[in-house]
Amino acid sequence: MTMWESFWNTTWEILGPFYAAVLPIAASAVVGYLVKLYRDKTGQEVNAIFREALQGAITRTANAIVVKAGGAAALNALPADALDLGVRMVKEAVPEAVAHFAREGLTDENIASKILPQAEAIIAAAPLAPAAMEIAKHVEQALTDPTKVAPDIGKVLDQIIRSLPPRASGNG
């Protein structure tokens, strides 16, 4: 037997029982860590998907509330049940996302507190919101009773055209 063979045999005799005891524990720890990484990664993806769905539902609901309220001035005088209706709309639109985040503490009040600022942001981002709301009213009136279409729709369209920002001049 060579010196190296003797060294490895002696080392194995000394450390073999230790390796036999520690190796399964180390392997379990590595597998457990990999499972945790997988769960964290897939959990983050699920959270991102649900968060996006919930935000989309809140944005659509805020748009509906803005249209129903008739613009910025009317948002300040929303009836109390408007936000309750908005919360119901969000919960019906994305029930899985709401249930997922409810486990993390999402409540109806949290949803309502996200709808109103979103509605205000929609109005702030739309410089033509008042005129667009006026047109929406005329369109809604035309759809409900075509005989009572407001005769001043041309004035509203003219107001919108005048409120548009001037085109940037340039070649090309």
Side-chain angles (χ1 to χ4, degrees):
M1 191 175 333
T2 67
M3 179 177 80
W4 285 110
E5 289 175 342
S6 174
F7 171 76
W8 287 116
N9 286 339
T10 306
T11 304
W12 184 251
E13 287 174 15
I14 295 170
L15 297 178
F18 174 74
Y19 286 142
V22 171
L23 200 55
I25 295 170
S28 295
V30 169
V31 169
Y33 178 72
L34 291 175
V35 167
K36 181 187 178 308
L37 282 178
Y38 176 76
R39 284 185 183 158
D40 289 348
K41 177 71 173 159
T42 57
Q44 289 171 357
E45 290 171 359
V46 167
N47 274 348
I49 290 168
F50 281 146
R51 186 170 286 109
E52 188 175 316
L54 184 61
Q55 185 57 45
I58 288 171
T59 301
R60 288 187 300 278
T61 299
N63 276 322
I65 287 177
V66 167
V67 169
K68 193 72 171 166
L75 267 185
N76 295 328
L78 275 178
D81 65 340
L83 283 178
D84 292 338
L85 174 64
V87 169
R88 282 197 312 275
M89 288 171 64
V90 169
K91 290 171 87 172
E92 289 171 5
V94 286
E96 297 88 8
V98 172
H100 175 78
F101 288 116
R103 290 188 293 264
E104 297 178 10
L106 181 70
T107 63
D108 290 357
E109 292 80 22
N110 298 129
I111 295 171
S113 72
K114 294 175 189 319
I115 293 173
L116 192 56
Q118 184 70 34
E120 292 167 350
I122 289 167
I123 288 174
L128 305 177
M133 290 298 131
E134 189 66 28
I135 287 184
K137 286 180 192 174
H138 290 291
V139 169
E140 184 178 3
Q141 185 178 9
L143 291 174
T144 56
D145 189 0
T147 62
K148 295 184 180 178
V149 175
D152 59 348
I153 191 88
K155 292 178 188 176
V156 174
L157 290 172
D158 190 45
Q159 174 189 358
I160 290 175
I161 292 170
R162 277 190 258 119
S163 66
L164 288 172
R167 285 187 146 181
S169 61
N171 298 333

